[in-house]
Amino acid sequence: MRDGAQSMYLFGKSLPESSRDAAPAPVCDEAFLKGVFADARMAIPAMTNQPLAEIIEVLHRLGETWRRGSDYWNRAFAMTRGEVPFSDDMIAHSLDVIPELLHARNVTARVKADFGSLDKLDHFVKSPSFAGTERAFPLGVLFHVSAGNVFLGAIDSLLMGFLTKNVSVIKLSSRNLSFPMLFAESIREVDRDRVLSDKFALIHFPGGETNLETIVKKESSGIIAWGGEEMILSYKKGLPLGVKFIEYGPKISFQVVTARAIEQHGMREVATWIARDIAMWDQAACASPQNLFVEAGADARELMNHIGRALDEFPFARGRLSDDEQVEILKERARAEYSQIVEGGGLHEGKDYLLHLDPRPGLRTSPLNRSLIIKSYSSTGDLLRQLKPFARYLQSCSLLVEHDDGDDAGNDTKATALIHALGGLGVMRFAHLGQVMQAPIGAPHDGKMTLVELTRIVPVEQDSTLEGLANEAIAHVPFYRDLRGGSRRPAIRAVSFFHRAELQARRNTSSIPTTSSVRSPICWRRDFAPRESAPALWSQIFSSRGISGRLSWQWTRPWRKSGPASCRSAGSRTGTRRCRGWNFSNRNTLLDCRPRSLSWCVARRKPDERSPSRRFFMRENT
C-alpha cells in the first residue's frame, strides 16, 4: 500500500473490496475527507425517515450472526488475537457481549431509558412536561473519534449513531483497525435492504492532522470523542458554533470499602469482588478502579493478601504487555519496595498482578494491567481531601459500605451520606463492589444520557385555546376522530360557568343554566344541535391545568355507557355517587352518563393542591 493508505468502509462499500483488488487502497487526504462528508450529507434524509423498528430489527438479526461459533465470531477471534493485547479468554468474553448488545430487548430498553418511548424518534408525540408535542431529530452527520483501549468501543459508538438515526463517520483508532472493518462487513451481509449498511463510514488518519481535523469540525453536525485529553482539546479548539461536541475524555475510577463492611461480608468475599473489578479488561476501561481506599480500622495488609489470592484464582489470564507497560509496572514495583522498607507500606506481587499498599495519602494513577494501589482513609472528609485534586477526572466509584438501621425511608444512612459527598465532589457513577464493569442498560454515562445528547428535541407548542384542544383531539385520538369524521372544529362558543347546586336544581329539565359562580365551577357546553341520526350523545370532557393562571387544555376519553340503567349500575361498581340522574366521579375528571331527558353530561372539579384553579369542561358531541 501507499504511505498512509488504509482499508476503509464508505457507505456500503469496502475499499479495497478484497485483498485481490487491483485498485490501491485510498489515502485519507483533504479531498477524500470532503467527499466522505458530502456522501454523508446525502444520506441524512433517508436515515432520518427510517422507522426505528426496522433499525432495531436489523440490529437484532446482526447480533444473531455473532453468536459464539458463528463464522464472524470465529474470524473475529482469530483476528483480534493478533491485534489486541487481551488474553484469549477475555477476547472470547468480549465477543460474547455483541449479541446481547444488539438484542432487540436490550436495544429497546436503551432507547426507552433515554427517550421514554420508541415513537419519539419517528414522529411527534405528546410531551409529558408541557402542552404540546415533541420529537427527537438526529444531529445529522455525526463524527466519532474512537478509542483503542477496548476494541468494542467503536462498535458501541456506532450503535448509538444508528439508534439516534445519525449518519456516522467513524475515525478508527490505530490500535483497532481490523475488527471494525469485519463488523461493517457483517452489517452489509445482513442488511440487504440497506437500512443501515449505506449510512456509515469507517475511516482512518493519524491523530494531530490539523488540516483534516479542521475539515471535520466544519463539515460535522456533531462530534463524539472518546480518548485522551490532548485529543479532546484538539477537537474542541476552534469548533464552529452549532457543532455539538460530546466528550468522553480521560477518567480515573476507584474503590471504597469500610471496616464494618469487611466484617459483615468477610475478608475473602470482599477480596473476590475487588479482584473482579480490576481484572476485567485488565483495567483498560475508564470504569476500571486504579486505587482502593480502605477505611481505618480494617486490616489493609491482610486484605491485600486476600486480593492477591483472588487474582491468582481469577479465570482469565492477563493479556500481553507492551515494553512501555512493563516499564511502568517495574517503576511501581520499585515504589512499592521503597514504601515497604522505608514507609511501612506493602507489596504483594503475582504472575499477573501487582498490589501496592501505599501509606501516602492521595489518589494517583496506577500502571493498569491489574496493578492496584491501596490507600487508607480515616473519615469522609479525609477521603474527599485525597480525591479533590482529581475531581474533574473522577468517573466510577465501586463501593461497599456496611448495612445500618437506616433512615425513615429505609436507606443506609452512612452509605447515603458518603454517596452524596462523593457525588458532590464530582463522581459520575456508583456501583456495588465487584459490579462496576457491569453497567445496567440505560444508565447514564459520565453524567450524560448519551442518546439524548446525539439528538435535537424539537417541540411543537399546543394551541392553548379550547378550539386548539378540540382539533388536536380530533387529529390524534381515535374516539374523537371517528366521532367527527376527521373534520376540524372551526370555532367553539364561549363557556358558561355555574355552581353544582344550580345544575342539580335543573336535573329534570333541558333548560340551559345562565348564572355563574366562582366557587366549585362546573362548565357545560351545547355546541351544535344534535343530529337526528345520533340520538345517543356522549360528553367530551376537557380540563384546564391552571398553570400560572393560563388555561392549558388536555382531553380525556369519555367513559362510555348507555342509558339510565347503565348509569345506576356503573355508579355502584366504580364508587361514584348518583344525584338523581347525575353521576359525579369521586376519582378523577369524569363522568359520562346520559340522564333520562337530557342530551348533555357534566364533570366536576376535584381538589388539587398543585393546581387549585383546575376546571373540567364538557362539550356535547354532535
Side-chain angles (χ1 to χ4, degrees):
M1 290 186 181
R2 295 169 293 168
D3 291 342
Q6 180 63 51
S7 297
M8 302 187 194
Y9 181 92
L10 302 177
F11 307 106
K13 297 180 179 179
S14 296
L15 300 177
E17 284 291 342
S18 70
S19 58
R20 298 183 298 275
D21 194 340
V27 174
C28 189
D29 55 19
E30 294 182 30
F32 179 86
L33 189 58
K34 289 180 179 179
V36 169
F37 278 102
D39 291 342
R41 285 192 296 272
M42 292 179 63
I44 290 176
M47 188 60 171
T48 301
N49 296 322
Q50 191 68 55
L52 185 61
E54 295 184 12
I55 293 175
I56 293 175
E57 192 272 334
V58 170
L59 292 173
H60 182 82
R61 286 193 286 114
L62 177 64
E64 293 304 301
T65 67
W66 281 88
R67 294 286 178 188
R68 181 177 287 223
S70 68
D71 178 62
Y72 282 114
W73 193 99
N74 292 333
R75 290 169 62 187
F77 181 76
M79 175 188 298
T80 51
R81 293 180 71 189
E83 189 173 75
V84 302
F86 300 128
S87 66
D88 288 355
D89 289 333
M90 188 62 69
I91 291 172
H93 175 80
S94 302
L95 293 175
D96 288 341
V97 170
I98 296 176
E100 294 304 309
L101 185 69
L102 302 178
H103 195 282
R105 175 189 62 252
N106 296 329
V107 170
T108 299
R110 193 169 182 176
V111 174
K112 286 184 176 181
D114 277 37
F115 297 104
S117 74
L118 303 182
D119 296 337
K120 196 170 184 176
L121 287 147
D122 285 342
H123 51 75
F124 283 91
V125 299
K126 188 169 180 62
S127 171
S129 56
F130 68 93
T133 58
E134 58 189 17
R135 180 181 174 181
F137 282 92
L139 297 178
V141 178
L142 180 63
F143 187 79
H144 308 242
V145 185
S146 66
N149 53 339
V150 178
F151 66 91
L152 293 182
I155 305 308
D156 191 46
S157 193
L158 177 61
L159 175 61
M160 295 177 194
F162 286 154
L163 295 179
T164 51
K165 300 188 181 183
N166 283 287
V167 178
S168 294
V169 179
I170 300 184
K171 177 185 178 296
L172 300 177
S173 167
S174 58
R175 292 187 290 168
N176 186 20
L177 294 172
S178 301
F179 175 75
M181 289 295 297
L182 179 62
F183 190 78
E185 179 185 327
S186 69
I187 295 176
R188 184 169 60 174
E189 179 179 324
V190 169
D191 182 24
R192 299 301 175 89
D193 295 329
R194 301 172 74 86
V195 173
L196 300 174
S197 59
D198 60 347
K199 309 300 191 306
F200 73 101
L202 305 178
I203 64 173
H204 174 69
F205 57 84
E209 295 283 346
T210 55
N211 56 329
L212 299 182
E213 290 179 3
T214 299
I215 294 173
V216 168
K217 299 172 192 177
K218 181 180 178 181
E219 301 291 343
S220 299
S221 308
I223 299 174
I224 180 169
W226 311 79
E229 187 168 9
E230 183 178 352
M231 179 274 293
I232 296 288
L233 293 175
S234 177
Y235 276 94
K236 289 180 72 172
K237 183 178 180 181
L239 192 69
L241 290 175
V243 179
K244 191 168 187 178
F245 189 79
I246 304 99
E247 65 177 83
Y248 292 102
K251 297 293 180 183
I252 186 169
S253 298
F254 58 97
Q255 298 167 315
V256 176
V257 179
T258 65
R260 282 192 59 202
I262 295 175
E263 293 177 4
Q264 289 179 349
H265 294 278
M267 191 78 75
R268 181 173 181 177
E269 185 171 23
V270 172
T272 300
W273 290 339
I274 293 170
R276 184 187 305 159
D277 278 347
I278 67 171
M280 293 301 296
W281 288 287
D282 297 342
Q283 293 175 291
C286 292
S288 301
Q290 300 185 42
N291 287 198
L292 165 64
F293 289 88
V294 182
E295 187 180 30
D299 190 340
R301 192 177 301 274
E302 181 65 18
L303 178 61
M304 177 178 67
N305 295 331
H306 276 82
I307 296 170
R309 285 192 286 272
L311 288 169
D312 286 330
E313 297 170 0
F314 194 76
F316 301 163
R318 185 176 65 183
R320 300 187 308 274
L321 299 179
S322 67
D323 292 341
D324 289 340
E325 289 170 332
Q326 293 183 49
V327 168
E328 292 303 315
I329 290 176
L330 285 174
K331 289 180 181 178
E332 189 63 38
R333 187 177 187 277
R335 293 189 193 100
E337 289 176 338
Y338 176 85
S339 173
Q340 187 175 33
I341 297 170
V342 178
E343 300 172 333
L347 169 66
H348 189 106
E349 189 175 16
K351 177 183 177 182
D352 288 342
Y353 61 88
L354 173 69
L355 306 176
H356 176 191
L357 180 59
D358 187 356
R360 291 170 295 179
L363 179 72
R364 64 183 180 88
T365 58
S366 82
L368 307 180
N369 293 289
R370 308 190 185 185
S371 299
L372 183 65
I373 301 170
I374 304 172
K375 303 274 188 175
S376 177
Y377 76 98
S378 59
S379 65
T380 299
D382 178 39
L383 178 61
L384 295 178
R385 285 189 291 273
Q386 296 192 53
L387 296 173
K388 188 175 181 180
F390 282 83
R392 69 177 61 184
Y393 297 101
L394 298 177
Q395 195 209 57
S396 298
C397 173
S398 181
L399 185 67
L400 186 66
V401 181
E402 70 269 14
H403 301 300
D404 55 31
D405 293 335
D407 56 19
D408 293 338
N411 300 312
D412 290 337
T413 51
K414 184 171 183 178
T416 300
L418 184 57
I419 287 172
H420 284 179
L422 293 174
L425 183 65
V427 174
M428 298 287 189
R429 174 183 169 228
F430 296 92
H432 190 279
L433 191 71
Q435 299 176 13
V436 76
M437 304 308 294
Q438 304 168 20
I441 296 170
H445 185 76
D446 280 8
K448 295 186 280 286
M449 302 301 287
T450 306
L451 297 185
V452 173
E453 292 287 325
L454 302 182
T455 63
R456 297 174 293 113
I457 308 299
V458 178
V460 176
E461 297 168 10
Q462 180 180 304
D463 184 350
S464 61
T465 65
L466 186 56
E467 289 89 344
L469 172 67
N471 286 325
E472 189 175 353
I474 292 167
H476 296 289
V477 180
F479 176 82
Y480 296 123
R481 184 167 58 245
D482 296 343
L483 189 70
R484 291 289 301 158
S487 300
R488 292 175 63 83
R489 180 76 69 176
I492 299 178
R493 292 193 295 273
V495 176
S496 299
F497 297 95
F498 54 90
H499 196 275
R500 185 174 67 201
E502 300 174 42
L503 177 63
Q504 292 173 340
R506 294 164 173 80
R507 61 186 178 272
N508 293 321
T509 178
S510 60
S511 61
I512 302 174
T514 57
T515 58
S516 299
S517 174
V518 176
R519 296 186 306 111
S520 299
I522 300 177
C523 169
W524 66 276
R525 288 220 57 85
R526 198 179 254 288
D527 207 4
F528 291 94
R531 295 179 301 195
E532 295 181 0
S533 59
L537 303 175
W538 303 100
S539 62
Q540 297 178 13
I541 299 168
F542 304 84
S543 84
S544 69
R545 290 196 249 178
I547 299 173
S548 303
R550 177 185 176 188
L551 292 181
S552 175
W553 305 95
Q554 59 188 15
W555 66 82
T556 171
R557 175 170 178 166
W559 176 29
R560 190 164 189 167
K561 298 293 179 183
S562 59
S566 295
C567 286
R568 287 192 294 272
S569 61
S572 64
R573 285 200 307 271
T574 63
T576 56
R577 57 189 176 87
R578 295 180 63 250
C579 300
R580 294 191 181 181
W582 297 101
N583 199 17
F584 294 96
S585 170
N586 290 324
R587 291 189 300 175
N588 193 5
T589 64
L590 122 93
L591 75 89
D592 183 8
C593 175
R594 184 185 61 170
R596 186 176 297 104
S597 59
L598 302 179
S599 59
W600 43 279
C601 291
V602 299
R604 68 180 177 86
R605 180 178 67 174
K606 183 175 181 179
D608 188 330
E609 293 179 358
R610 294 172 300 172
S611 181
S613 59
R614 181 184 292 250
R615 300 165 180 171
F616 295 103
F617 296 88
M618 182 279 298
R619 172 167 78 76
E620 182 186 44
N621 292 342
T622 62

